[in-house]
Amino acid sequence: MTLESQLIKKEYYQMYINEQESVQPIRVLGEAYQEELQKDLPDLTSIRFAQGEIYFHNRDYEAAIFKWENITGELELWARKNIADAYYESGLLSNAEDLYLSIETHNLTLKTEVSLQLFSLYIDREKHEEAVEIIKKTIGSNPDYPNVTDIARAYFEDQQDWANAIELAVNEAKRTGSIDWYDTVNSYVKKGLTKSLNPNYFTQAIFELYSLDQRMFEELTTSLWRSYQDEECYFTWLKEVNHLLLNLDLSRNLHFEFLSELHYQTYFGLINGNFIMKTLEDLVPDLLTNWLRLSVPKHTVLVSAAVLSWNELFPTSISMSIVSEAENLISETNSNIDELEESLNLFEAIISWAKTKDMGENNHLKWVVQQLNDFDTHHLFITGLSGSGKSAFVNSILGEEIQDSPTSSLVMFKDFEELNIYEITDHETIKLADFTHFQERMDRRRNALESIIEFQQPFPFLYEQKLTLIETPGLKGSHQDRYEVLQYIQLADTLLFVIDANAPFTEKEKVILSQINELAPDIPIHFLLSKMDTIVNEQEAIKIYDETKSKIQTYLPEAEVFAYSSQYERGQQLLELKGFMQSITDTRNIADKRLAKLLFFIRTTISRLLQKRIDVENQLIESVRWNEEVVMKLNGALNQLKDTEAQKIKAITRSYRTIKESIQNEISIEVPKILQECSELIAEDSNISTIHIELNDVMNKRLQDYLEQEVMPKYYTSLQEWINSSKEEFAQGQEFLDEMAEGLNSLYGEERIKPLCDFKVLDDWHRDTDRMTSRFQLEKVNILLRNTPSQFLLKSAGKLFGALSQNKSLLYNKYKDFVKNDSYSEPTEVVIERFFQQFELFEKSLERDITLFFRQPLKILNEAIEESLSQISANQDILKKMNTNPEMFRDPLTLFEVRLRQFEWATLAGKGVHTIY
């Protein structure tokens, strides 16, 4: 045992007792002590140091401290460390800490032992920060000291101090190259403890691990990859691991199966349509490069196809050496891909993405893909010019008159155990109730091509021949019109073109066949020469058949021609037709051909979605422009309506006030006359003291009669005329609104604006005027009982001189003159006020009533304006989003195209099947 080892274990005393192991150590050291004292210059230091150890081991810490206190020389610092240990064991932790900290030494072992003791002491005192600091400092100065890193790791794990635990494991893995430490790092990664760390934290460790243990390298890299997959720094990790792998000498012979699988999952995850190209353009090339370099056999074709397809769309992004290697691999390796499943997955991914982007259901394409996936029957596509006899041919082989009029939609006839008829639109699939509904549907011409009809029922001929018939409407019109009919031609495995024997193989038919050949160059075309029974004799029929066949085969050498007539004997003709069908329905490589068609429709789907996006943007722009125009015209109409309303209010109220003023003027003239005429009632024998009361009553009676019998009927008549005049004003307003609405509705293309004014206002006016003019009761007016000076004088005189007969004649004359000559201005004003009092509220409500008349049109225009403004705002927001991030729509389609080309490379290229564009 070395000296340092003895000092660490406090077994320094063993150097005195090795030869006398049977004797108690304390006795041996006592004898040695006494022996040393006998010397002239005794040195008791080492003996005292050893004695202290014995006392310490026997837990006599006070005696141990006493022995160690006076130690000098080489053992002094060890003695001080031991004294601190004694304090520690005695529970005097503060004393121990102070003493440990006071020890300064260059002896690395002593320094480490002191640090480890301090570490334990800090743990006991729950000074965890100090404990971490001291253990990290210890590892930094003496990492190879026995168990120090294990002690640290155990402490960090116990405290769940994962940051320091991970740091320790990574540093030790790099320092020592120990696979155990790499395994520790891997365990932390698998527990998800490293997710918060920047991916470059592990780069150097992984790089060094590659040369040490490639299996462990794959395992740790895989663990890190999976741990970062759902984190924000995932793309940072991908860049980091890409760079790392590019700098390693990778080889497919290493069989990195997990890494190859991760590259596969990551690549397809990146191109699933959820990321924009800007994010991927610097990432994917390196990812594919590394994948190709380390791929396992099951991924060789896939990664090669991925490299080639990416390079096609983004030339020079991948090095030519990698592209060349991919070309060689894909030509030399057999594909083990489930082609149909992969292509269907791609189609479903596109359709699902389109639905999230509000690009419709794309139900037509779903139906088409479903039909292509049915390998049990051969698709015979039957077409021809209108009137060529194709529907009659279809009816004859189906065995019944299913179509009694020309076909208006694409119809697929399939053998099935029971009758089912479906109408397939781009939005939904509708099951028609029965055959009658089918016939009604086929009679519909408008938008007929927007639907596809699938007709299922037992068809013996189709069952025997394993056929599905697809009949198109008759071909006519322009190139575009014919394209609308032929857009699903890729459903066909074979095309049967029906021509009329009376005018066979015309120039128009040649033009159509050229168009068909452009659309579907790989689909074999054969011909049915119909209406042969209309030829005058058999010899002529044979001649026409031979000449037509010769012309056709000059144009299409491999085409077959079958002569047919619905009037021929059906049994014999069907027998010949079966042989013809068998000769033209080539079922070889049907799965590969259908796969090519499926990929064609996937490509079509991508193109249509891109066009749909353009169409949507254009529709939004047009909608904004149209709504802005509508708002401008609606605001103009609204202002005109408000002007009309103001004009009608002014005209109608002015007309009413004219009538009122006329009546007022008449009353103001007639009332004074009526009152003055009452002077005739004053006689010399009248009781002068009461005459004013009697006259006042008579005056009121005459006024009541005048107002009720003359004025009110006249006023009523004038009001009725005024209401009729107002009705004409309202009618003009309604007529104006109708004309305005007609112009606005022409803009809407529908009866959107219906400005119905409220003519009930007139009924209300009739009711109110009838009520107010039906009877009038004038409240008694004090005409002669008022307190004017002259009135007061006369009343007083009458009372004073009533008993004096000699004054009666004079007073009579004076009083009569007063009644006859008074202006009666005040009573007249009172009468006018009381007469029109009940009409005041009516007059005040006229403006409100006229406003009510126009309220509904105003409301409709304001609502229409608000609706258009809302649509403008909503559409502008959508356009802003589309134009702010156009790549959010465009880039996923680009990536779908990458996947499509990749799939074509991986499947069709190796089989010699041509891609359909």
Side-chain angles (χ1 to χ4, degrees):
M1 184 180 294
T2 64
L3 175 62
E4 281 192 343
S5 179
Q6 288 179 331
L7 292 172
I8 292 168
K9 297 179 180 179
K10 294 183 177 62
E11 293 181 354
Y12 181 75
Y13 68 88
Q14 291 286 356
M15 62 188 302
Y16 289 98
I17 61 176
N18 279 342
E19 296 176 357
Q20 306 174 41
E21 290 180 358
S22 61
V23 182
Q24 285 291 328
I26 194 66
R27 181 180 180 85
V28 173
L29 291 175
E31 291 175 353
Y33 187 86
Q34 293 300 323
E35 185 179 338
E36 185 67 23
L37 280 174
Q38 303 303 317
K39 294 181 180 179
D40 293 335
L41 295 172
D43 182 7
L44 301 172
T45 297
S46 59
I47 298 173
R48 292 176 65 85
F49 186 88
Q51 287 176 324
E53 289 178 336
I54 297 299
Y55 290 131
F56 184 90
H57 287 307
N58 287 280
R59 302 180 63 80
D60 188 352
Y61 301 123
E62 187 177 354
I65 291 170
F66 175 77
K67 288 293 182 181
W68 286 327
E69 276 181 335
N70 297 314
I71 301 296
T72 58
E74 294 179 355
L75 297 175
E76 179 181 356
L77 293 179
W78 280 100
R80 290 177 64 191
K81 183 261 180 188
N82 288 349
I83 293 172
D85 290 347
Y87 284 142
Y88 187 0
E89 294 297 328
S90 300
L92 302 173
L93 302 184
S94 180
N95 293 358
E97 180 180 354
D98 292 341
L99 192 52
Y100 283 136
L101 292 172
S102 70
I103 299 172
E104 295 182 4
T105 178
H106 296 293
N107 185 314
L108 189 56
T109 300
L110 175 59
K111 188 175 183 180
T112 302
E113 282 294 315
V114 169
S115 295
L116 288 174
Q117 286 298 98
L118 270 172
F119 173 67
S120 297
L121 183 147
Y122 286 144
I123 292 173
D124 289 344
R125 300 192 71 183
E126 296 185 353
K127 291 186 174 183
H128 295 294
E129 289 184 9
E130 289 83 349
V132 170
E133 181 181 358
I134 195 68
I135 195 64
K136 290 176 73 173
K137 187 175 179 181
T138 302
I139 293 170
S141 62
N142 195 5
D144 290 322
Y145 195 76
N147 300 322
V148 68
T149 53
D150 290 335
I151 292 170
R153 174 190 168 189
Y155 174 69
F156 291 147
E157 289 180 352
D158 181 64
Q159 295 296 311
Q160 296 188 1
D161 184 356
W162 301 117
N164 282 312
I166 294 164
E167 180 184 30
L168 172 66
V170 171
N171 289 340
E172 285 302 292
K174 290 190 290 185
R175 186 182 70 84
T176 65
S178 167
I179 300 303
D180 289 340
W181 278 113
Y182 277 109
D183 192 55
T184 300
V185 173
N186 192 33
S187 71
Y188 293 155
V189 174
K190 286 182 175 180
K191 290 175 182 176
L193 303 174
T194 61
K195 292 180 179 181
S196 61
L197 296 174
N198 194 302
N200 64 11
Y201 186 85
F202 301 95
T203 304
Q204 186 61 34
I206 302 171
F207 180 79
E208 293 176 5
L209 177 58
Y210 182 76
S211 59
L212 297 172
D213 188 320
Q214 290 173 349
R215 288 301 100 200
M216 190 66 219
F217 163 82
E218 181 182 27
E219 187 175 346
L220 178 55
T221 305
T222 299
S223 298
L224 284 166
W225 199 314
R226 288 174 177 159
S227 74
Y228 283 123
Q229 274 180 337
D230 297 321
E231 303 302 311
E232 290 184 4
C233 59
Y234 181 49
F235 282 88
T236 303
W237 160 257
L238 291 177
K239 291 177 182 178
E240 198 68 36
V241 76
N242 273 341
H243 181 72
L244 170 68
L245 295 175
L246 285 172
N247 288 284
L248 295 176
D249 186 20
L250 298 175
S251 168
R252 284 186 296 279
N253 296 328
L254 297 173
H255 301 294
F256 285 138
E257 187 165 343
F258 296 118
L259 282 177
S260 183
E261 182 65 26
L262 273 174
H263 277 78
Y264 166 78
Q265 294 172 2
T266 301
Y267 172 70
F268 281 100
L270 292 175
I271 65 169
N272 65 358
N274 292 328
F275 303 101
I276 60 175
M277 290 306 306
K278 188 175 181 180
T279 305
L280 304 181
E281 57 189 7
D282 295 330
L283 196 62
V284 171
D286 288 346
L287 184 75
L288 291 177
T289 298
N290 289 325
W291 188 15
L292 188 75
R293 293 168 63 217
L294 58 74
S295 63
V296 293
K298 70 175 182 179
H299 291 152
T300 301
V301 172
L302 268 178
V303 64
S304 300
V307 167
L308 295 172
S309 61
W310 189 271
N311 186 65
E312 277 185 358
L313 271 76
F314 309 101
T316 74
S317 61
I318 300 176
S319 72
M320 288 310 299
S321 60
I322 293 295
V323 174
S324 298
E325 187 176 354
E327 289 175 343
N328 293 333
L329 285 170
I330 206 167
S331 63
E332 297 170 357
T333 311
N334 292 325
S335 172
N336 56 357
I337 300 171
D338 187 334
E339 299 152 349
L340 182 61
E341 182 180 355
E342 289 292 333
S343 61
L344 291 174
N345 288 342
L346 174 56
F347 178 76
E348 285 298 326
I350 297 170
I351 293 298
S352 297
W353 175 85
K355 192 170 183 179
T356 64
K357 298 298 180 182
D358 297 323
M359 288 291 110
E361 294 294 328
N362 296 285
N363 198 48
H364 278 156
L365 289 168
K366 290 182 190 175
W367 179 84
V368 166
V369 169
Q370 183 182 355
Q371 303 311 313
L372 290 174
N373 197 26
D374 177 11
F375 296 104
D376 293 333
T377 61
H378 191 88
H379 293 169
L380 183 63
F381 199 86
I382 304 174
T383 191
L385 292 176
S386 296
S388 62
K390 95 186 132 50
S391 293
F393 166 68
V394 170
N395 284 337
S396 68
I397 63 174
L398 294 180
E400 55 184 289
E401 291 291 322
I402 288 180
Q403 301 199 80
D404 55 4
S405 61
T407 305
S408 59
S409 297
L410 189 79
V411 185
M412 173 179 278
F413 295 100
K414 298 179 73 172
D415 176 70
F416 196 69
E417 58 189 16
E418 60 185 25
L419 176 65
N420 291 304
I421 308 171
Y422 301 98
E423 180 180 3
I424 298 95
T425 70
D426 206 35
H427 304 290
E428 60 182 340
T429 298
I430 305 164
K431 185 172 183 179
L432 302 182
D434 51 33
F435 186 74
T436 302
H437 283 82
F438 166 74
Q439 289 181 316
E440 290 173 357
R441 171 61 190 78
M442 296 309 294
D443 288 337
R444 191 178 79 197
R445 292 293 181 264
R446 186 179 179 186
N447 300 326
L449 289 174
E450 293 180 4
S451 297
I452 300 170
I453 304 298
E454 182 177 345
F455 194 109
Q456 301 176 351
Q457 84 169 40
F459 292 121
F461 183 84
L462 299 185
Y463 174 77
E464 291 174 14
Q465 299 299 309
K466 293 185 177 180
L467 279 178
T468 291
L469 299 187
I470 305 167
E471 184 187 1
T472 74
L475 300 174
K476 56 185 177 180
S478 66
H479 186 281
Q480 181 59 33
D481 292 337
R482 293 193 295 270
Y483 173 76
E484 291 296 320
V485 174
L486 297 171
Q487 60 180 311
Y488 297 109
I489 194 172
Q490 287 296 343
L491 269 172
D493 297 314
T494 302
L495 188 143
L496 186 63
F497 196 94
V498 180
I499 55 179
D500 188 342
N502 294 294
F505 210 57
T506 62
E507 288 302 317
K508 187 175 183 179
E509 287 170 329
K510 289 179 183 178
V511 170
I512 293 173
L513 286 166
S514 295
Q515 184 178 358
I516 290 173
N517 196 48
E518 289 175 8
L519 292 171
D522 294 328
I523 296 177
I525 301 174
H526 302 283
F527 293 83
L528 185 89
L529 193 59
S530 72
K531 302 183 181 180
M532 290 296 289
D533 56 292
T534 61
I535 308 303
V536 293
N537 56 60
E538 185 177 349
Q539 189 174 3
E540 181 66 18
I542 293 172
K543 178 183 177 184
I544 290 173
Y545 173 80
D546 289 340
E547 290 178 354
T548 302
K549 185 175 182 180
S550 177
K551 287 179 184 179
I552 288 172
Q553 291 186 338
T554 300
Y555 192 75
L556 294 168
E558 297 183 2
E560 297 290 339
V561 182
F562 183 78
Y564 168 82
S565 171
S566 59
Q567 302 302 316
Y568 287 174
E569 198 278 313
R570 185 172 183 275
Q572 179 59 34
Q573 188 159 239
L574 277 182
L575 188 61
E576 294 174 358
L577 185 60
K578 287 178 182 178
F580 175 70
M581 290 296 176
Q582 290 169 3
S583 69
I584 66 172
T585 52
D586 182 7
T587 58
R588 291 175 299 175
N589 298 325
I590 188 170
D592 293 339
K593 292 175 182 177
R594 290 279 182 90
L595 182 61
K597 294 175 185 295
L598 180 55
L599 296 183
F600 163 81
F601 280 108
I602 292 175
R603 185 176 297 281
T604 300
T605 303
I606 295 172
S607 300
R608 285 187 180 180
L609 290 175
L610 189 57
Q611 185 59 45
K612 267 189 180 181
R613 198 270 185 188
I614 296 170
D615 293 343
V616 166
E617 184 174 3
N618 290 337
Q619 288 167 7
L620 289 170
I621 293 170
E622 175 58 24
S623 176
V624 169
R625 184 205 63 75
W626 182 85
N627 276 295
E628 287 174 342
E629 181 183 351
V630 167
V631 168
M632 181 183 69
K633 293 192 175 182
L634 286 170
N635 277 322
L638 185 63
N639 291 331
Q640 286 182 307
L641 177 53
K642 288 179 179 179
D643 291 343
T644 300
E645 180 184 345
Q647 179 188 353
K648 297 306 177 187
I649 290 172
K650 184 178 180 181
I652 292 171
T653 55
R654 183 171 58 191
S655 174
Y656 176 81
R657 291 190 184 105
T658 299
I659 295 170
K660 177 183 176 183
E661 289 169 3
S662 174
I663 297 297
Q664 280 180 328
N665 291 335
E666 183 179 331
I667 294 173
S668 65
I669 294 170
E670 294 299 323
V671 165
K673 288 181 181 180
I674 293 169
L675 297 178
Q676 289 168 353
E677 288 172 357
C678 290
S679 64
E680 298 173 358
L681 299 175
I682 303 173
E684 289 189 14
D685 59 350
S686 299
N687 186 347
I688 201 70
S689 63
T690 60
I691 188 64
H692 63 287
I693 297 172
E694 294 170 1
L695 277 176
N696 198 76
D697 291 340
V698 172
M699 286 177 173
N700 274 280
K701 176 69 170 59
R702 289 187 178 184
L703 287 177
Q704 172 69 37
D705 293 343
Y706 166 68
L707 292 173
E708 188 172 11
Q709 295 172 15
E710 293 185 34
V711 177
M712 192 62 80
K714 187 175 182 180
Y715 194 29
Y716 173 77
T717 302
S718 297
L719 287 175
Q720 299 310 305
E721 292 173 354
W722 168 77
I723 291 174
N724 290 332
S725 173
S726 299
K727 184 178 181 180
E728 292 179 7
E729 292 283 353
F730 283 160
Q732 291 173 4
Q734 181 67 66
E735 185 179 352
F736 159 73
L737 289 173
D738 290 341
E739 291 175 0
M740 178 188 71
E742 185 178 350
L744 292 172
N745 287 331
S746 66
L747 195 62
Y748 279 104
E750 60 175 327
E751 291 295 312
R752 172 68 175 77
I753 305 295
K754 297 178 181 178
L756 301 176
C757 295
D758 189 1
F759 281 90
K760 289 182 180 179
V761 168
L762 295 172
D763 296 335
D764 294 341
W765 287 356
H766 275 298
R767 185 187 67 247
D768 291 343
T769 55
D770 284 348
R771 175 178 53 78
M772 291 185 293
T773 58
S774 62
R775 189 175 185 280
F776 174 72
Q777 180 63 49
L778 178 65
E779 185 182 344
K780 192 170 185 179
V781 180
N782 292 329
I783 302 168
L784 297 178
L785 304 178
R786 294 167 293 135
N787 293 321
T788 64
S790 58
Q791 291 285 345
F792 180 77
L793 175 62
L794 287 171
K795 285 191 289 180
S796 299
K799 292 175 181 178
L800 180 62
F801 301 109
L804 302 177
S805 59
Q806 65 269 25
N807 294 327
K808 199 167 187 180
S809 176
L810 175 63
L811 193 58
Y812 155 76
N813 289 325
K814 287 287 184 182
Y815 197 58
K816 187 171 184 178
D817 286 344
F818 166 76
V819 172
K820 185 176 181 179
N821 295 317
D822 192 25
S823 66
Y824 297 104
S825 58
E826 288 185 19
T828 301
E829 289 177 4
V830 171
V831 169
I832 290 173
E833 179 186 350
R834 291 181 180 176
F835 180 82
F836 285 107
Q837 188 174 23
Q838 63 178 329
F839 294 97
E840 283 181 5
L841 186 59
F842 177 77
E843 182 180 357
K844 289 178 181 178
S845 67
L846 287 179
E847 184 172 342
R848 179 185 63 84
D849 289 345
I850 298 169
T851 300
L852 286 174
F853 177 80
F854 290 105
R855 182 171 63 178
Q856 194 264 358
L858 278 168
K859 180 182 178 184
I860 285 178
L861 289 177
N862 279 314
E863 286 177 351
I865 290 170
E866 186 62 35
E867 181 182 339
S868 287
L869 288 174
S870 177
Q871 288 181 1
I872 289 170
S873 177
N875 290 341
Q876 285 178 336
D877 286 345
I878 296 171
L879 280 169
K880 184 178 180 181
K881 290 177 183 177
M882 291 175 74
N883 293 324
T884 301
N885 298 304
E887 66 277 4
M888 294 301 292
F889 189 94
R890 183 186 60 245
D891 287 359
L893 290 175
T894 302
L895 292 172
F896 284 132
E897 190 172 353
V898 169
R899 288 179 64 180
L900 175 61
R901 281 301 297 139
Q902 170 186 311
F903 191 74
E904 289 170 347
W905 271 107
T907 57
L908 304 183
K911 298 181 176 186
V913 179
H914 295 295
T915 301
I916 303 172
Y917 291 97

